[in-house]
Amino acid sequence: MSKLKKLIDRIVEFGTNEKLQSENKTLEIQRLLVGIYAEYLNVETEFDETDYEEPINLDYDGMRSIVTEHFPNFSWYHSVWEGHKINEDVELTTRDSIDDLTDIINDLIEVQWRLENNSEKDGLYQFEFLMKKHSEQHLVNLIKYIKDLNE
């Protein structure tokens, strides 16, 4: 659990700390994303039946602005729709790497909040749920984008 919490805390800083220091932000975020993905693939959760207060709404635009400052070279990119199928007529989709990272951070802030204000059980359950239903695709796309950017 402490490894997951450390990963979440550091990734969240990329969207909340304008003065974040890092020797190589792109390499660091790539490593953090791989780490958080490994944690997701290994997490075991159980639903927490307690009726907790919902987390606060976040300033997406403010967070996006901070992410943009940290990664000025991140941009739009293409991916293949239904890339797992072999199709003669490939359909490209346009994606936004800044949005990918901002959405991941947004979801992790909710998990961070739940871990700190509700319970570990609730936080882990929401981590798995948000990854499965939302952040996983952003994360996988962003890791590939960063890999391609570095070539």
Side-chain angles (χ1 to χ4, degrees), residues 96-112:
D96 178 1
S97 60
I98 296 294
D99 176 71
D100 287 336
L101 185 51
T102 304
D103 278 3
I104 292 165
I105 292 168
N106 193 43
D107 284 353
L108 291 178
I109 288 173
E110 178 176 340
V111 172
Q112 183 183 54

Side-chain angles (χ1 to χ4, degrees), residues 61-122:
D61 293 334
M63 211 179 323
R64 182 181 171 90
S65 176
I66 294 170
V67 170
T68 302
E69 287 178 34
H70 291 311
F71 300 99
N73 61 327
F74 280 22
S75 185
W76 297 90
Y77 63 95
H78 286 113
S79 66
V80 177
W81 181 256
E82 296 185 325
H84 63 288
K85 296 179 182 177
I86 301 299
N87 293 319
E88 289 183 27
D89 298 320
V90 175
E91 189 175 332
L92 293 179
T93 60
T94 303
R95 305 203 185 261
D96 178 1
S97 60
I98 296 294
D99 176 71
D100 287 336
L101 185 51
T102 304
D103 278 3
I104 292 165
I105 292 168
N106 193 43
D107 284 353
L108 291 178
I109 288 173
E110 178 176 340
V111 172
Q112 183 183 54
W113 188 92
R114 287 176 180 275
L115 288 169
E116 292 170 0
N117 295 285
N118 293 354
S119 70
E120 182 175 311
K121 196 174 178 182
D122 182 53

Side-chain angles (χ1 to χ4, degrees), residues 127-141:
F127 171 65
E128 181 184 41
F129 177 80
L130 290 169
M131 284 292 289
K132 182 182 287 186
K133 299 298 181 189
H134 184 240
S135 287
E136 183 179 20
Q137 192 62 58
H138 286 293
L139 189 142
V140 170
N141 290 345

Side-chain angles (χ1 to χ4, degrees), residues 4 7-8 11 32-40 108 127 139:
L4 175 62
L7 288 165
I8 290 171
I11 292 169
L32 290 166
L33 293 173
V34 169
I36 206 87
Y37 197 42
E39 291 294 313
Y40 162 66
L108 291 178
F127 171 65
L139 189 142

